[in-house]
Amino acid sequence: MKNFRSKKGSVINEEETIKFSFDGNEFSGFKGDTLSSALLANGIHLVGRSFKYHRPRGILSAGSEEPNAIITFDRGEGKITPNVRATTLEIFNRLQSFSQNSYPNLKFDIGAFNNVFSIFFPAGFYNKTFMWPKSFWDKVYEPFIRNLAGLGPAPLSEDTDNYASCYGHCETLIIGSGPAGIAAALAASQTEGRVILVDEQSEIGGSLLSSSNKKIDNLSSEQWLSKALNTLKKSNNVKLMTRTTAIGYWHDNFVALSERLTDHLSQVPEGSAREQLHRIRARRVILAQGAIERPLVFNGNDRPGIMLSNAAQTYLNKYGVRVGDNISVFTSHDSAYETAFEMCDAKVNVSVIIDLRKEVNADLLAEANSRGIEVHLNSSISRTYGKLRINAFEVYSPIQNKKFIVKCDALIMSGGWTPSLHLWSHSKGSIKWDKSISAYIPDKANENVCCIGACNGNFGIEKALNEGNSVFNNNKKYVVQEQSFGSGVVLNTIPNYLKKEKQKAFVDFQNDVTEKDISLAVQEGFKSIEHVKRYTTNGMATDQGKTSNLNALEIASREVGRSIEKVGLTTFRPPYTPTTFGTFVGYRDKELFDPVRKTPIDDWAVTNSAVFEPVGLWRRARFFPKNKENMDQAVARECKSTRDSLGIFDASTLGKIEIVGPDATKFMNLMYSTSWTSLKVGNCRYGLMLGEDGYIYDDGVVARIADDRYHVTTTTGGAPRVFRHMEDYLQTEFNDLDVWLTSTTEQWAVIALNGPHARDILEPLIKDIDLSADSFPHMSIREGNICGIPTRLFRVSFTGELGFEINVPSNYGLALWKILMTEGAKYRITPYGTETMHVLRAEKGYIIVGQDTDGTVTPFDAGLGWAVAKKKKDFVGMRSLKRKDLVNGVRKQLVGLLTEDPLTVLAEGSQIVINPKQPKPMKMLGHVTSSYWSECLGKSIAMAVIEDGFNLMGTDIYIPMPEDTIKAKVCKPIFYDPEGKRIHV
Amino acid sequence: MLLIHCPYCNKKRPEVEFAYAGEAHIERPNGINQLTMTDEEWSNFMFIRNNIRGEHAERWWHNSGCNMFFNAIRNTQTDKFIMTYKMGENLPTEKQIKAAKK
Ligand SMILES: [Zn+2]
């Protein structure tokens, strides 16, 4: 195979040969090569197929802006990473890389039929085509879109790599290590503060590595760079970070850096992290991100072998690779001439320069002439040829109306330069249009930040060095011998004799957006650039339009007929380049990803085959299946055993707040609709908490432990918000009250015993509390000891049976549970889970806030009017309850439902109508909030909120379902032991 | 991520420790005064907020810190905090806000 290595590249180590593969073919390159430079050194340009049309695509750039050369690579053991830019991936031994979007192979791709039928894929194609008919969605549209969606294959196995993360602080953070960044770092190294210099590439140097040798202060740029590097490495306050991308910039100079630690290594050290996220807080940020060259938008500009001029220059100088043997240039900017001359000097044949401009600096023309390069001014390229790689193009001269063909094996282009404003924009700095360079440049900073060098619109090495230096008021002046960076023009249309419809001029290479698409979007009424972007998807691919945004803007501005400043730029958002999920996850992987919050009794539940469900942030046992029972069977058994004998339930997740202080009762009276003044020490009361809007916010049993001390319980999920709600009022509205709030949820383990034998099991275990019904009635609390463990023993019930809730310090929870399981054997004690708890409480009509209420239910709607104190002068929600619409309006009210067929269990959430024969859309009266099979009653039961429900008692209502309509009768929401005899035994 | 100065901790701490808690200086009428308010007056207190573009007085809660609620002047366009102050202190004057900007 032919070798395209022309000279020694600035980052290439020719001593170390590296073997790698691409699409199954073996190649070799050198240490320092990226995949793209190594492929080009082997004469390969064709590296992928485009996203929408599956057009053959080559390498466009030499950096992270690459839209085309997106590949998948395999590091062995199933470690597959898709959608990686070949231009930034360093090769290592045994690297296996693959092209994407091609089937069966890159040279013959079936998906390319999209290209032939491209007329059917105009802008807004998705929005237009996939609307109707609705029935096509599942079978036709969705499979089709899924097929198109995404680029590379998602990895099929778990990511076994480690990812690290850390915080960092510095006085100066410099992003970009080209001449501007280095000069700033040199100046900063002489200050007191800590300095971090980061660069996404493998070496410090930026454009110094990719341009030919220049003289900086009488040193060759190579010598100057190595001297500068030495100085920086010796400075104690400077940290150099390569292979590190600043991916995002947030408020107060908070910058996230993603450092790639091992992807370039053939041998990864055992246990080392693959990537590390650094969260840096910097006093001052200096952006030296450089600029990105713009492609020219002309017919056939996406053929492999067509490349940005600066990329060709980089491949030549940095990697020693020539991108072809017979090169032509198409440009509207002076900087392409430098590339052409350097190519020539490296003995590459450069035949022609096609320049869109009428006039070009005479020195450049003379230099071209001296090298034997033909320059055609005022000329354009109208077509390109070559199936899988460019082999010729047609030059068109609009003035003379002349056309001719030029043969080539590579075409390099330059449409001018776009300063990189990505991070500046993340930091919410404003931008302004600079006519002289036809680009946006930074304007006003929103943080302690500045831009230097090319990203500030100051091109050329000397300017970059001096601007970097001046940031620290350093007097030093750098002198560089370099060809003037020159200037260019930006055209919003490239002359062509072909009609626009016949042309395929790509703007966004990665998302396959053409000039035509943008014109069409504007014609169809999308005038805002943000809308044009979304309609055409321009700039929405993984490269975020780094090479396409400004070209799209020029075309949109032309079509809208408004100046570019008026059209505006789309917003840049983090991350700057695609970032692995692993980087964001860091150490919070596996069991740390979403930590499970367990009760003290969780271990026992695990060993006893509990099936769990998440509740709030907790993991709770849902039921305890025995002998292959399904959930319904297990729940029926658990319900029956509890009502017949004894059930045991882990209620530790209940929210608990200790409210203490001389004004505790006053505070409680304000926070709850319930009255607390008359509650005696040792008694409990149901507490109903409202929002200021009058709707039910939370509920729970509250015990008065002492005159100035309450033990409050909340719903499991509501604990944090109730605590916040209380703190808010205490600190900001009722701050004259002397009260302390302490969350005690995790301090208490709570074991609920329910059933006729609940007292029998406790009697032998508790010596210091009289458990008899007379001295310890329902809704009271006693403090004492159980098996020597201090306890707050509640006599309460959420089942309607005789019930106790034993609160013990969390550490004793599991031990006590085990004792109770042993002692309870004689009563066939049955552990039950949340599902049985739900059924038992529904049989009694006890509500669950958040299930039977939805934030629009008042206490009166829920039938809990008795829990609203009449005489209190103030409580949260009091005034809202008096609003006319709540008092007089038609309200949805909580009722019970019994289905006509007792075996039918309603679906929770299903809608209710009064007349199923009415025309559609029917009037919905409300919905089913809770519905269960009640084993104890031998029928299904349900609760529902229904408009004017209290007045519908005994009325038939209907629940229309897809298969049939279910008839049910409205009743009071209490189904079991309505007199409440069982609870008071 | 913003750095927010908690006036109780007297420390600048990262935004993740805090939660926004709505517009500041909206005083809840006590129970007696509530009864003299019309439904419209009450709903104004409950639901109507200024939604200022620019310098906004608002409440923040140091929930993963000292658990205190405090007030702040923050620019809703730049997201930046201009000053924070303790609950119960008066709404800063324009002069005080200006001074805090320096
Ligand atoms: Zn604090």
Side-chain angles (χ1 to χ4, degrees):
Chain A
M1 186 166 274
K2 207 171 158 193
N3 184 343
F4 284 81
R5 202 76 64 167
S6 275
K7 60 178 197 179
K8 194 201 160 301
S10 59
V11 298
I12 294 294
N13 177 2
E14 293 187 344
E15 313 277 279
E16 205 177 320
T17 302
I18 303 230
K19 302 252 182 237
F20 68 99
S21 79
F22 178 65
D23 275 351
N25 300 314
E26 298 290 327
F27 296 102
S28 69
F30 293 125
K31 181 81 192 154
D33 264 326
T34 60
L35 180 60
S36 60
S37 70
L39 288 172
L40 289 169
N42 287 281
I44 291 179
H45 276 259
L46 172 68
V47 289
R49 289 275 176 168
S50 73
F51 175 54
K52 202 155 82 180
Y53 304 129
H54 287 243
R55 287 169 70 94
R57 288 284 165 83
I59 297 158
L60 182 75
S61 76
S64 61
E65 69 270 32
E66 178 62 32
N68 280 343
I70 306 294
I71 57 100
T72 295
F73 81 101
D74 187 342
R75 290 170 294 129
E77 301 159 37
K79 295 180 178 182
I80 286 172
T81 310
N83 306 336
V84 172
R85 288 140 297 152
T87 49
T88 60
L89 178 67
E90 294 170 59
I91 57 166
F92 53 86
N93 277 314
R94 292 182 302 282
L95 161 70
Q96 292 186 298
S97 59
F98 305 93
S99 61
Q100 296 183 171
N101 253 10
S102 53
Y103 178 82
N105 64 53
L106 197 50
K107 290 187 179 154
F108 176 75
D109 171 41
I110 286 174
F113 82 89
N114 286 2
N115 190 26
V116 180
F117 295 104
S118 64
I119 188 161
F120 300 120
F121 289 83
F125 163 69
Y126 299 94
N127 314 42
K128 285 171 184 158
T129 314
F130 298 127
M131 296 295 285
W132 305 102
K134 212 170 152 191
S135 58
F136 269 40
W137 185 257
D138 287 353
K139 301 230 155 54
V140 183
Y141 296 154
E142 194 181 311
F144 183 79
I145 289 179
R146 286 208 180 280
N147 221 354
L148 278 181
L151 295 166
L156 295 173
S157 56
E158 190 185 340
D159 187 349
T160 53
D161 282 310
N162 298 316
Y163 296 85
S165 76
C166 64
Y167 286 88
H169 301 86
C170 64
E171 276 62 44
T172 309
L173 172 64
I174 303 166
I175 296 163
S177 76
I182 294 173
L186 284 170
S189 71
Q190 287 162 31
T191 64
E192 294 285 296
R194 296 157 292 180
V195 182
I196 301 177
L197 175 64
V198 294
D199 199 286
E200 60 178 347
Q201 312 231 17
S202 59
E203 306 278 342
I204 298 282
S207 62
L208 292 174
L209 299 168
S210 35
S211 53
S212 61
N213 230 328
K214 312 245 151 75
K215 273 228 156 7
I216 303 176
D217 289 353
N218 297 319
L219 290 175
S220 75
S221 51
E222 201 183 336
Q223 289 166 326
W224 183 88
L225 178 59
S226 86
K227 195 178 148 214
L229 262 177
N230 251 333
T231 311
L232 292 175
K233 279 179 185 157
K234 274 193 217 135
S235 306
N236 291 328
N237 59 339
V238 179
K239 184 174 175 187
L240 303 176
M241 296 177 72
T242 53
R243 298 190 178 93
T244 303
T245 307
I247 54 174
Y249 187 152
W250 291 271
H251 286 306
D252 289 337
N253 279 352
F254 186 74
V255 179
L257 310 176
S258 165
E259 183 179 15
R260 294 171 300 284
L261 299 164
T262 60
D263 270 9
H264 60 289
L265 300 176
S266 312
Q267 203 69 49
V268 176
E270 183 88 17
S272 90
R274 182 184 176 209
E275 290 174 8
Q276 179 158 25
L277 180 71
H278 299 257
R279 278 168 270 202
I280 306 288
R281 188 77 73 169
R283 181 166 297 157
R284 185 178 192 188
V285 174
I286 295 171
L287 298 174
Q289 286 191 284
I292 293 171
E293 200 166 21
R294 261 179 257 178
L296 289 167
V297 181
F298 62 100
N299 183 29
N301 63 344
D302 67 328
R303 229 172 270 284
I306 303 179
M307 179 184 281
L308 292 168
S309 134
N310 171 253
Q313 188 184 27
T314 301
Y315 288 117
L316 182 67
N317 295 312
K318 190 170 176 183
Y319 305 102
V321 175
R322 62 186 188 280
V323 299
D325 282 329
N326 182 19
I327 289 172
S328 294
V329 179
F330 186 25
T331 188
S332 65
H333 195 280
D334 290 346
S335 59
Y337 284 75
E338 186 178 72
T339 309
F341 300 157
E342 286 177 8
M343 289 275 178
C344 243
D345 299 347
K347 312 223 160 36
V348 180
N349 180 41
V350 180
S351 51
V352 293
I353 297 177
I354 311 298
D355 199 317
L356 285 156
R357 298 171 293 178
K358 291 191 190 73
E359 284 169 34
V360 172
N361 183 317
D363 294 347
L364 289 178
L365 295 178
E367 284 236 31
N369 193 28
S370 74
R371 287 175 169 87
I373 307 173
E374 261 177 55
V375 179
H376 296 270
L377 295 180
N378 219 341
S379 297
S380 169
I381 292 180
S382 44
R383 288 173 194 265
T384 61
Y385 303 94
K387 195 162 165 256
L388 300 173
R389 165 108 177 243
I390 188 168
N391 56 29
F393 56 87
E394 182 184 65
V395 181
Y396 167 61
S397 158
I399 308 278
Q400 298 140 309
N401 198 13
K402 197 173 72 177
K403 289 176 279 194
F404 61 93
I405 304 278
V406 176
K407 286 196 180 321
C408 70
D409 63 357
L411 174 66
I412 64 175
M413 61 177 162
S414 177
W417 293 83
T418 309
S420 282
L421 298 174
H422 299 78
L423 290 171
W424 173 264
S425 297
H426 295 176
S427 81
K428 298 200 163 71
S430 67
I431 53 174
K432 62 183 176 203
W433 182 251
D434 184 336
K435 268 212 175 89
S436 66
I437 58 167
S438 295
Y440 278 107
I441 57 168
D443 190 13
K444 288 196 182 66
N446 187 44
E447 300 284 349
N448 188 358
V449 57
C450 65
C451 287
I452 56 173
C455 73
N456 198 27
N458 292 317
F459 299 103
I461 292 172
E462 188 175 280
K463 274 192 191 164
L465 287 168
N466 285 320
E467 195 173 19
N469 192 40
S470 67
V471 168
F472 290 89
N473 303 319
N474 205 316
N475 288 326
K476 186 176 162 43
K477 272 272 171 278
Y478 290 99
V479 179
V480 181
Q481 288 170 29
E482 61 183 330
Q483 182 198 309
S484 142
F485 187 77
S487 61
V489 298
V490 173
L491 300 179
N492 58 27
T493 184
I494 302 244
N496 200 324
Y497 63 93
L498 289 163
K499 287 204 171 109
K500 286 276 179 209
E501 307 90 81
K502 299 266 178 204
Q503 298 182 34
K504 225 169 234 171
F506 285 87
V507 182
D508 182 328
F509 292 80
Q510 196 168 115
N511 262 355
D512 266 354
V513 180
T514 62
E515 182 182 2
K516 259 183 305 193
D517 292 326
I518 294 171
S519 308
L520 185 64
V522 174
Q523 280 162 31
E524 292 187 357
F526 295 91
K527 308 281 181 207
S528 147
I529 192 67
E530 294 285 357
H531 292 160
V532 170
K533 167 179 166 177
R534 281 155 185 80
Y535 195 56
T536 61
T537 72
N538 192 90
M540 291 175 71
T542 63
D543 64 340
Q544 285 198 53
K546 290 187 177 67
T547 54
S548 68
N549 281 336
L550 258 287
N551 281 332
L553 194 55
E554 292 279 358
I555 295 161
S557 145
R558 174 192 85 204
E559 292 291 325
V560 179
R562 279 157 65 198
S563 69
I564 247 180
E565 307 96 289
K566 297 257 163 61
V567 178
L569 191 61
T570 54
T571 316
F572 293 110
R573 292 194 176 84
Y576 174 67
T577 52
T579 307
T580 61
F581 284 114
T583 298
F584 294 110
V585 171
Y587 299 114
R588 291 163 182 270
D589 192 14
K590 302 191 172 75
E591 63 274 15
L592 295 178
F593 182 67
D594 185 12
V596 180
R597 196 179 184 196
K598 300 173 188 167
T599 77
I601 296 146
D602 184 84
D603 274 355
W604 188 92
V606 171
T607 6
N608 286 274
S609 63
V611 174
F612 291 97
E613 68 167 339
V615 182
L617 294 172
W618 293 93
R619 168 164 101 174
R620 298 193 76 178
R622 193 173 184 194
F623 57 97
F624 294 86
K626 269 187 179 173
N627 312 322
K628 297 184 182 157
E629 282 173 329
N630 64 22
M631 184 174 87
D632 290 345
Q633 292 163 334
V635 170
R637 174 181 51 75
E638 291 172 12
C639 285
K640 200 87 180 35
S641 308
T642 303
R643 294 231 184 270
D644 287 351
S645 183
L646 181 59
I648 183 168
F649 176 65
D650 179 4
S652 303
T653 64
L654 270 182
K656 304 164 206 84
I657 301 169
E658 192 93 344
I659 297 186
V660 187
D663 294 323
T665 303
K666 269 191 196 163
F667 181 68
M668 288 294 291
N669 275 332
L670 285 164
M671 294 312 299
Y672 285 84
S673 68
T674 321
S675 175
W676 304 99
T677 314
S678 60
L679 182 67
K680 293 197 171 65
V681 171
N683 283 1
C684 301
R685 187 168 283 177
Y686 173 75
L688 191 61
M689 176 177 268
L690 310 184
E692 197 72 270
D693 55 12
Y695 298 126
I696 293 174
Y697 191 78
D698 202 75
D699 70 349
V701 168
V702 177
R704 191 158 192 176
I705 305 289
D707 272 341
D708 61 352
R709 182 178 291 265
Y710 289 85
H711 178 125
V712 166
T713 67
T714 75
T715 57
T716 292
R721 91 190 134 83
V722 169
F723 186 68
R724 176 201 156 126
H725 181 73
M726 287 184 170
E727 275 289 353
D728 190 349
Y729 275 95
L730 181 59
Q731 289 181 33
T732 68
E733 298 293 350
F734 311 138
N735 51 352
D736 52 328
L737 300 185
D738 190 358
V739 181
W740 282 93
L741 311 177
T742 309
S743 165
T744 54
T745 301
E746 307 223 326
Q747 272 57 49
W748 297 105
V750 184
I751 300 171
L753 290 169
N754 281 275
H757 288 297
R759 185 182 289 116
D760 302 332
I761 183 178
L762 287 178
E763 243 149 11
L765 306 177
I766 298 176
K767 298 279 165 342
D768 51 1
I769 302 173
D770 179 355
L771 298 178
S772 68
D774 288 342
S775 62
F776 192 15
H778 178 54
M779 292 304 267
S780 52
I781 178 172
R782 299 289 178 270
E783 290 182 273
N785 290 280
I786 177 165
C787 309
I789 306 165
T791 179
R792 281 184 182 171
L793 182 65
F794 287 66
R795 185 173 164 197
V796 291
S797 171
F798 200 42
T799 61
E801 300 297 329
L802 169 65
F804 295 91
E805 288 184 1
I806 313 160
N807 286 249
V808 291
S810 288
N811 295 348
Y812 293 106
L814 183 57
L816 179 61
W817 178 279
K818 285 180 178 166
I819 293 170
L820 292 168
M821 285 306 296
T822 311
E823 293 292 313
K826 52 178 165 291
Y827 309 111
R828 291 184 297 108
I829 191 166
T830 301
Y832 67 89
T834 50
E835 200 60 31
T836 290
M837 178 267 281
H838 280 149
V839 177
L840 296 176
R841 66 89 202 176
E843 287 172 348
K844 288 290 291 180
Y846 300 148
I847 65 160
I848 288 186
V849 171
Q851 176 169 344
D852 301 299
T853 68
D854 63 359
T856 65
V857 176
T858 70
F860 302 104
D861 299 338
L864 298 171
W866 53 267
V868 179
K870 310 276 175 309
K871 288 182 193 153
K872 282 204 290 190
K873 293 264 180 349
D874 193 3
F875 60 86
V876 173
M878 180 186 77
R879 176 62 183 82
S880 288
L881 286 179
K882 296 196 166 73
R883 275 168 44 194
K884 283 184 205 77
D885 52 329
L886 290 192
V887 176
N888 303 327
V890 177
R891 303 290 307 164
K892 283 186 183 170
Q893 292 156 338
L894 188 72
V895 296
L897 294 180
L898 286 171
T899 46
E900 184 178 44
D901 173 3
L903 297 179
T904 304
V905 180
L906 295 170
E908 286 175 356
S910 49
Q911 297 286 326
I912 296 163
V913 301
I914 192 109
N915 170 15
K917 300 214 167 80
Q918 64 185 299
K920 291 173 189 171
M922 296 189 190
K923 164 130 176 80
M924 303 295 181
L925 289 185
H927 71 277
V928 177
T929 60
S930 292
S931 173
Y932 309 95
W933 169 253
S934 166
E935 183 72 9
C936 300
L937 296 165
K939 62 183 176 191
S940 83
I941 55 167
M943 289 154 83
V945 286
I946 303 185
E947 220 172 87
D948 206 21
F950 296 160
N951 285 325
L952 293 176
M953 290 297 155
T955 311
D956 288 333
I957 52 88
Y958 297 86
I959 295 101
M961 298 300 284
E963 315 78 50
D964 56 350
T965 294
I966 304 166
K967 190 174 173 184
K969 208 179 268 307
V970 178
C971 62
K972 287 204 163 144
I974 176 159
F975 305 94
Y976 187 81
D977 184 27
E979 301 83 27
K981 283 184 189 146
R982 302 178 68 90
I983 214 167
H984 290 289
V985 293
Chain B
M1 192 181 7
L2 289 162
L3 286 171
I4 302 175
H5 179 260
C6 171
Y8 293 97
C9 296
N10 198 17
K11 287 254 153 56
K12 271 197 170 185
R13 308 290 304 165
E15 190 183 331
V16 285
E17 291 186 10
F18 299 83
Y20 177 69
E23 191 175 338
H25 299 288
I26 296 171
E27 200 179 333
R28 179 182 183 273
N30 67 29
I32 292 161
N33 292 336
Q34 285 175 18
L35 295 180
T36 64
M37 290 170 80
T38 64
D39 276 5
E40 197 184 342
E41 285 167 339
W42 181 250
S43 66
N44 278 341
F45 157 72
M46 280 294 296
F47 307 116
I48 306 302
R49 295 295 178 266
N50 275 317
N51 196 22
I52 282 171
R53 183 172 196 239
E55 284 158 19
H56 184 231
E58 56 194 28
R59 299 166 1 119
W60 282 78
W61 179 36
H62 197 181
N63 60 325
S64 299
C66 65
N67 194 32
M68 297 299 281
F69 285 80
F70 60 89
N71 288 332
I73 304 292
R74 191 178 63 90
N75 187 315
T76 57
Q77 279 175 284
T78 63
D79 289 345
K80 296 264 174 151
F81 279 79
I82 295 159
M83 61 189 292
T84 57
Y85 51 100
K86 288 182 181 171
M87 225 17 107
E89 289 176 15
N90 289 333
L91 178 68
T93 59
E94 292 207 351
K95 215 170 161 188
Q96 285 169 313
I97 294 173
K98 221 175 199 175
K101 280 188 202 159
K102 279 173 195 161

